[in-house]
Amino acid sequence: MNDSEILVKVEGLSKKFCKDLKTSLWYGVKDLVSGVRGSRQERELRPKEFWAVQDVSFELRRGECLGLIGHNGAGKSTLLKILNGLINPDAGKVTIKGRVGALIELGAGFNPILSGRENIYNNGAILGFSRREIDAKLDAIIAFAELEEFIDMPVQHYSSGMKVRLGFAVAAQMEPDVLIIDEVLAVGDVAFRMKCYNTINELQKKTAIIFVSHSMPQIAKLSSSALLLSRGKVKNQSIDVSKVINQYFLDSPIDNKEMISGSGKAKIVKTNFDASKQISIKKDSLISLEFTLDISPEIERFGIRGVVYDSEFKGLLDINSLHEGHIFINKGSSQSINISFTNPLNHGDYSLTLVVFEVDDNMKIKERLLRYEGFYNFKSLSDNEFDSYIPMSVNVLINQN
Amino acid sequence: MPLETRVYQKERTLKMGALLKASLKDLLGSRFLARQLAERDIKAQYRQSYLGILWAFITPIATAAVWIFLNSSGTVRLSDTGVPYAVYAFSGTLIWSIIVAAINSPMQSTNAAKGILTKINFPKEALLLSGVYKLLFDSSIKILLLVLFVFIFGVGFHWSLLLVPIAVLGAVLFGSTLGLFLTPIGLLYKDIGKIITFGMQFLMYVTPVVYAIPKAGMMKTIMTYNPITPIILTTRDLAVGFTPEYLSYFLIVLAICVPLLFLGLVLYRISIPIIVERLSA
């Protein structure tokens, strides 16, 4: 077997879709007729149609993984459907060699009334296994899903995590040459997710993988090249995965999730940045936030806290004036505050939540005066391709003695 | 071993022969999947129901019962059918229900699999085959019931009774072929399913289901040419031991169905990607 054989070849692929249901159905009837008659003419956009995928080309060899990224509605799923042979392209050509496996929907063909064991056969049959194959793999599947105890229970009483586990366990038995993965791994608990990744890693050596995910760390971890789709067109395509991911973040829509809560005794009056805009900051550069606060006169002392969250609302950084040993005195009028820190974050979208709290005589937090979510939204851009899937890196000294 | 190569592009092979060959190959190759799907549906259906199989023949029995009552109470006057009227009516409605189920089957099976059709690539012919399996399961129970009636009402055993299953296969073939042609468009528009249900109600009255073909008149012409007539009559004649009068018409209908079935399979194969596109858009 040639190691560099091309398993997937996509040339100038295009697909159009219709925005309106009734029109879409009518075009369906027309396509049925022309499909039967075998029309060879060039497909052009009819009224109310748009290109869901336009002029996409790539090649994939065994052992390679293409990370397919793009914002919602960019055409990723449509592209996968064409690659999977579910729908026909309107232009271009796909050539796929070998057995194709798709992790697009786990647990297809499950019937809720039937037991887990029976559903293994249903799901396995749809994925193309023979009865003998399933018989042979049954124990391995049950063990992988960690469902020994519940395997004869109707699937409708399974938790959603259990269903996914069973579905993945069956799918993991596939031995595909080409594997298509569409965001199925975002479910289940951490331990099982790790198991899934290990399985995919194992598969990667002998398969060509096309991987769709919104999680950039996952893309960076698995992919050997990346393709960014935007409104059906290829925006960026490179073996420099980090560069494509940066482009993805640059394109991400401004998501201004501002929310203000707290006792209302503190107010932001002025900032040195525009809170409604997302700002791009290079990694390792200085972030300096200046703002003016109005605090009710009865508050004597106060503190400031800033928490940086990533796009999945995971807290990454905590900046706290109490930790730094600062207590601010209410000067009665507007106070000017400055927060500065060096940006340690690798590329991604981040949001800083600002908290202003009252401090009592014992240096303890007393009352939360203001909590401002989405106070400062920024994109962090990193040029370093090595650290792309870890949220943050800091400068340390590592010496060989 | 060389790897199987698939090519997806706008221009597909449109050679009837190649498509039919691929379709039959998938049909044959998907027996396990089809059986699995049929088994799944049958099991699930009966596990969640106490009356179970009763539902398969409650409609034909109810229809027959109504007609038996109408006839025996003298509300309607029906010409003599040559066999006890109960047997005539029951056999008619049972066979009719098999044909109706067969017409609906390809569309129902495909429709029920909408969710996986848009996500997973598997031989779609398996859906048709699983529909046929389910039909055969239901039909065999209906045949048993029919045989039971034949004995209960004193018609007694005839060797031709053994040919009934074959005639029923013919009914399934006819229904499935017709259903297959309606499936592509029926998947796009829900109206088709409604039209079938609605239309079959009327069609029943121009088919000798609960009464015989009249001796003369327009109704006689319509009923004689109706292609469902020979299927009902032949099956019934075989069940009660008459010489099947419409046997040659029956065979002609089946002979026409075979090439049409192949054509329907090709049509189905071409249309599925187009339909999936519209379902998932």
Side-chain angles (χ1 to χ4, degrees):
Chain A
M1 203 180 284
N2 183 359
D3 269 358
S4 65
E5 58 184 327
I6 295 171
L7 292 184
V8 184
K9 191 171 179 184
V10 174
E11 301 156 274
L13 202 67
S14 297
K15 180 80 205 165
K16 51 188 185 176
F17 267 137
C18 184
K19 291 170 198 160
D20 180 72
L21 180 70
K22 275 271 158 64
T23 322
S24 169
L25 292 177
W26 179 238
Y27 286 157
V29 176
K30 284 184 168 175
D31 289 350
L32 278 179
V33 175
S34 72
V36 172
R37 292 200 349 242
S39 135
R40 284 184 174 272
Q41 51 185 253
E42 201 69 28
R43 306 265 169 98
E44 274 160 14
L45 286 186
R46 296 171 279 193
K48 294 189 191 169
E49 280 188 327
F50 66 98
W51 290 108
V53 170
Q54 198 173 11
D55 203 17
V56 174
S57 306
F58 62 86
E59 280 177 4
L60 212 56
R61 285 161 225 274
R62 200 181 286 277
E64 289 181 339
C65 174
L66 175 76
L68 196 54
I69 56 181
H71 297 286
N72 288 335
K76 304 180 300 277
S77 296
T78 308
L79 182 54
L80 287 196
K81 276 183 187 147
I82 301 173
L83 293 175
N84 201 6
L86 298 172
I87 55 181
N88 278 317
D90 282 318
K93 188 176 172 185
V94 181
T95 314
I96 294 188
K97 282 186 194 156
R99 196 168 163 173
V100 181
L103 287 176
I104 292 184
E105 171 141 298
L106 294 178
F110 276 9
N111 185 302
I113 311 282
L114 303 181
S115 73
R117 191 187 300 277
E118 286 166 309
N119 276 316
I120 290 177
Y121 282 88
N122 293 333
N123 187 218
I126 288 173
L127 296 180
F129 294 116
S130 69
R131 181 182 294 278
R132 201 173 310 140
E133 280 176 300
I134 303 175
D135 283 337
K137 287 168 174 167
L138 190 63
D139 291 330
I141 292 172
I142 298 172
F144 189 98
E146 299 164 31
L147 284 170
E148 289 89 347
E149 201 182 328
F150 302 108
I151 201 63
D152 290 308
M153 187 167 90
V155 163
Q156 62 181 346
H157 299 313
Y158 279 25
S159 71
S160 50
M162 284 158 87
K163 267 183 245 173
V164 170
R165 257 150 59 191
L166 189 60
F168 189 85
V170 181
Q173 302 297 319
M174 289 191 290
E175 282 156 17
D177 296 294
V178 177
L179 183 63
I180 298 170
I181 309 174
D182 186 7
E183 296 226 79
V184 279
L185 305 170
V187 274
D189 55 23
V190 179
F192 190 75
R193 250 166 21 208
M194 281 307 291
K195 218 164 159 180
C196 297
Y197 277 114
N198 293 337
T199 311
I200 291 172
N201 268 330
E202 207 47 49
L203 281 171
Q204 191 171 10
K205 292 167 201 156
K206 31 189 205 289
T207 44
I209 299 183
I210 298 150
F211 181 58
V212 168
S213 178
H214 282 291
S215 162
M216 293 308 124
Q218 288 179 8
I219 292 283
K221 217 180 324 186
L222 282 172
S223 308
S224 54
S225 65
L227 194 157
L228 173 64
L229 276 181
S230 174
R231 294 175 157 266
K233 286 184 193 139
V234 178
K235 183 102 186 233
N236 203 336
Q237 182 174 10
S238 166
I239 52 165
D240 185 354
V241 176
S242 178
K243 206 178 84 193
V244 183
I245 292 178
N246 258 337
Q247 179 75 45
Y248 169 85
F249 280 122
L250 276 176
D251 282 0
S252 63
I254 296 157
D255 183 15
N256 209 4
K257 36 194 181 287
E258 254 184 63
M259 212 179 84
I260 298 172
S261 54
S263 69
K265 287 178 187 159
K267 257 189 270 171
I268 303 283
V269 219
K270 212 176 101 197
T271 57
N272 71 333
F273 53 89
D274 185 354
S276 66
K277 280 204 187 108
Q278 205 171 22
I279 298 141
S280 295
I281 304 272
K282 278 225 172 235
K283 193 189 166 220
D284 294 326
S285 62
L286 189 76
I287 296 178
S288 178
L289 308 177
E290 266 186 54
F291 51 94
T292 312
L293 267 177
D294 245 357
I295 298 182
S296 296
E298 71 266 27
I299 310 293
E300 285 177 24
R301 283 179 293 266
F302 67 96
I304 301 275
R305 188 180 175 210
V307 183
V308 177
Y309 293 96
D310 68 6
S311 53
E312 281 147 19
F313 302 107
K314 238 181 277 160
L316 294 176
L317 280 183
D318 191 355
I319 303 153
N320 194 325
S321 63
L322 272 188
H323 294 171
E324 308 295 325
H326 294 309
I327 293 173
F328 302 112
I329 310 291
N330 188 1
K331 291 175 190 152
S333 60
S334 298
Q335 359 256 321
S336 176
I337 309 281
N338 179 294
I339 300 178
S340 297
F341 61 100
T342 307
N343 175 21
L345 299 160
N346 292 319
H347 48 203
D349 288 323
Y350 300 96
S351 171
L352 185 139
T353 294
L354 183 79
V355 180
V356 181
F357 50 85
E358 187 183 359
V359 180
D360 68 8
D361 301 335
N362 304 319
M363 300 265 287
K364 291 269 149 56
I365 296 172
K366 208 170 146 197
E367 188 187 12
R368 186 190 280 170
L369 307 173
L370 170 74
R371 183 184 157 87
Y372 195 132
E373 267 171 59
F375 177 65
Y376 180 67
N377 301 314
F378 62 103
K379 285 174 200 293
S380 187
L381 300 174
S382 162
D383 298 328
N384 191 344
E385 60 178 295
F386 299 111
D387 53 23
S388 54
Y389 62 87
I390 311 285
M392 145 173 37
S393 52
V394 289
N395 297 322
V396 291
L397 284 172
I398 306 177
N399 296 315
Q400 187 182 27
N401 295 320
Chain B
M1 191 188 78
L3 294 169
E4 182 198 354
T5 304
R6 301 164 196 239
V7 177
Y8 304 123
Q9 57 183 344
K10 188 182 72 141
E11 290 87 15
R12 283 152 291 165
T13 27
L14 276 162
K15 292 196 192 88
M16 271 291 283
L19 278 169
L20 182 61
K21 215 172 126 192
S23 177
L24 291 177
K25 195 179 141 236
D26 275 356
L27 203 57
L28 217 64
S30 65
R31 275 169 311 175
F32 167 56
L33 172 56
R35 217 188 108 188
Q36 199 62 41
L37 292 176
E39 240 181 75
R40 173 194 74 177
D41 293 345
I42 292 169
K43 267 190 199 160
Q45 191 182 337
Y46 294 121
R47 219 168 273 185
Q48 213 183 6
S49 136
Y50 273 112
L51 298 176
I53 193 69
L54 194 65
W55 295 112
F57 46 78
I58 200 131
T59 323
I61 286 190
T63 316
V66 168
W67 280 89
I68 291 166
F69 175 73
L70 289 178
N71 189 38
S72 64
S73 63
T75 320
V76 290
R77 279 265 152 255
L78 297 174
S79 53
D80 184 40
T81 53
V83 284
Y85 181 71
V87 174
Y88 191 89
F90 275 132
S91 58
T93 53
L94 279 177
I95 302 159
W96 182 257
S97 76
I98 291 175
I99 296 174
V100 173
I103 293 174
N104 284 319
S105 164
M107 203 155 83
Q108 265 169 9
S109 311
T110 316
N111 232 337
K114 243 183 199 171
I116 51 174
L117 270 177
T118 57
K119 303 254 166 59
I120 293 178
N121 196 354
F122 61 98
K124 321 295 182 287
E125 282 77 9
L127 298 174
L128 300 177
L129 195 58
S130 84
V132 172
Y133 284 160
K134 279 188 272 179
L135 277 176
L136 293 182
F137 177 81
D138 281 356
S139 302
S140 55
I141 291 162
K142 287 175 184 168
I143 293 173
L144 282 180
L145 202 67
L146 180 60
V147 172
L148 206 67
F149 282 133
V150 165
F151 283 105
I152 289 174
F153 289 96
V155 178
F157 178 79
H158 297 275
W159 284 106
S160 62
L161 205 55
L162 298 178
L163 290 173
V164 170
I166 296 172
V168 167
L169 276 183
V172 170
L173 171 68
F174 173 82
S176 303
T177 307
L178 193 59
L180 201 51
F181 274 92
L182 297 170
T183 301
I185 189 94
L187 286 172
L188 288 179
Y189 292 107
K190 300 252 179 236
D191 310 58
I192 305 296
K194 309 254 186 235
I195 291 172
I196 294 177
T197 318
F198 184 70
M200 288 310 279
Q201 279 174 355
F202 286 100
L203 217 52
M204 192 177 104
Y205 295 103
V206 293
T207 314
V209 176
V210 285
Y211 43 77
I213 301 176
K215 295 275 180 286
M218 192 178 75
M219 198 61 161
K220 177 179 191 258
T221 324
I222 298 173
M223 282 171 96
T224 314
Y225 287 108
N226 179 354
I228 312 178
T229 300
I231 295 170
I232 301 270
L233 288 186
T234 309
T235 316
R236 185 191 280 135
D237 286 346
L238 290 173
V240 298
F242 287 179
T243 315
E245 220 180 306
Y246 277 75
L247 187 62
S248 45
Y249 190 19
F250 177 73
L251 292 176
I252 291 169
V253 169
L254 292 196
I256 294 172
C257 276
V258 173
L260 284 180
L261 178 73
F262 288 161
L263 187 67
L265 282 174
V266 171
L267 203 68
Y268 186 76
R269 207 177 167 83
I270 295 175
S271 56
I272 284 291
I274 296 170
I275 289 161
V276 166
E277 183 184 327
R278 301 296 158 186
L279 294 181
S280 58

